[in-house]
Amino acid sequence: MDKIEFSHNYTKLPDGIKTAVLIAAEPIRREEQTHLFLWQDTHYLDEIGVERWAPFPDKDNYLCLVLKSDSGAIFTTLRKDNEENRYKYMDLKCAGVAGMYWQPKYKRVFEIIIKEG
């Protein structure tokens, strides 16, 4: 089973999460997102309960993953939009004369790994 790793126990993650199913994967630009969305995506509590936010490059392209946890809770995460992640979370499809396009790997199950906390 493929894994999605988180560097912190972000507050967006459901308690006790072990696995999640990919619902959607959409390319986005960071600078086009609201402050509230970015706040929620990077927010965590450190080991003594102080609010922190993970650093985030100002201008980059990302894949916004929408996932459903094993408990049924929906959450998102951003991953750098690069070739490795495209192949991990999406399939390259052929549309005949229309060319190639990327499609999310719907219903793919990922193990969730939290490295800290």
Side-chain angles (χ1 to χ4, degrees), residues 87-103:
Y87 281 105
K88 183 174 182 177
Y89 303 113
M90 305 176 93
D91 289 318
L92 189 58
K93 301 288 186 178
C94 180
V97 295
M100 306 295 282
Y101 67 97
W102 291 97
Q103 178 179 351

Side-chain angles (χ1 to χ4, degrees), residues 30-92:
R30 183 211 186 272
E31 64 268 18
E32 295 171 346
Q33 305 314 306
T34 65
H35 291 291
L36 183 59
F37 177 78
L38 296 173
W39 180 94
Q40 174 269 338
D41 193 70
T42 60
H43 182 257
Y44 68 97
L45 302 176
D46 70 11
E47 60 279 350
I48 60 170
V50 175
E51 284 190 312
R52 304 278 184 203
W53 289 266
F56 218 79
D58 279 342
K59 294 186 180 182
D60 265 324
N61 295 327
Y62 291 89
L63 294 175
C64 180
L65 307 181
V66 180
L67 299 129
K68 183 178 180 182
S69 74
D70 42 12
S71 67
I74 302 294
F75 66 99
T76 61
T77 190
L78 299 180
R79 301 292 163 186
K80 192 165 242 353
D81 188 356
N82 58 31
E83 187 174 345
E84 178 183 353
N85 283 338
R86 285 274 177 142
Y87 281 105
K88 183 174 182 177
Y89 303 113
M90 305 176 93
D91 289 318
L92 189 58

